Amino acid sequence: TENPPSPPFSKGGMGGFADIGFGLKEDEIIHSRGLITKDEVRAVAIHKLRLPLKGVFWDIGAGSGSISVEAARLYPGLKVFAVEKDDEQICNIKENKIRFDANNIEIIKGKAPEALTNLPSPQRVFIGGSGGKLKEIIDLIAKTQASIVVINAATIETLNEAVQNLEKSGFAVEVSEVFVSRSKAITGKRHMNALNPVFIIIGEKQT
């Protein structure tokens, strides 16, 4: 997927996006090869995070930064750390940070969990990608003050690994499976085209 053209920018920095609080579209967010959290899934994940007005939020495996950008724009008092290892995706996050004037995002280049060790302790964590280190990442998060962790998973294997490790680390776990179908015009008639389902795993720390 080619990057969408940049919108016209005003002196305020966001052009036509300045009056949108939440609900950025996939084609408005710069991303690579369709690698972006779909709009409907992003909305559910952010809802499940129950983000605080202020504090620290880790977005691990941030990809294009779509979750980071939406969270940062919703809550300007929240410090967002977008952690990503891929150079191309880092460039996308940087461009999206500028495009949407999301100055409360700090971009951390590196692999988790190593890249997390020197960050301020978070209140909330989202994991969109773990690079095969999901257990180690959850182990580290469990030692922070994070009370809610949300993990997106496309496979049953990742779902099982997430549930098992969150429970072992003292989190109560809830799972939602999100199915999305979008309308598509075929020969003048509207049909529904199904996207791949996504598991959303919510871990809430027991007090």
Side-chain angles (χ1 to χ4, degrees), residues 155-180:
T155 69
I156 293 173
E157 288 78 10
T158 302
L159 166 65
N160 290 336
E161 186 180 5
V163 170
Q164 289 172 11
N165 286 290
L166 283 170
E167 288 181 340
K168 286 179 182 177
S169 294
F171 290 87
V173 177
E174 171 191 318
V175 179
S176 297
E177 186 174 10
V178 180
F179 293 88
V180 176

Side-chain angles (χ1 to χ4, degrees), residues 133-148:
K133 298 285 187 178
L134 187 56
K135 179 186 183 302
E136 292 84 351
I137 293 170
I138 293 174
D139 286 347
L140 186 150
I141 292 168
K143 298 173 184 176
T144 72
Q145 60 182 335
S147 57
I148 296 177

Side-chain angles (χ1 to χ4, degrees), residues 8-40:
F9 282 81
S10 68
K11 291 181 180 179
M14 287 189 293
F17 302 116
D19 60 348
I20 298 173
F22 176 70
L24 299 174
K25 297 179 180 179
E26 292 153 37
D27 61 2
E28 294 171 339
I29 300 170
I30 296 169
H31 60 281
S32 304
R33 305 178 300 279
L35 298 177
I36 186 171
T37 304
K38 298 297 186 283
D39 293 343
E40 298 86 349

Side-chain angles (χ1 to χ4, degrees), residues 71-93:
R73 296 181 72 243
L74 272 172
Y75 303 105
L78 192 64
K79 183 66 176 180
V80 179
F81 290 89
V83 182
E84 177 56 50
K85 63 181 180 180
D86 182 78
D87 288 332
E88 183 177 343
Q89 295 284 38
I90 288 286
C91 289
N92 290 337
I93 300 171

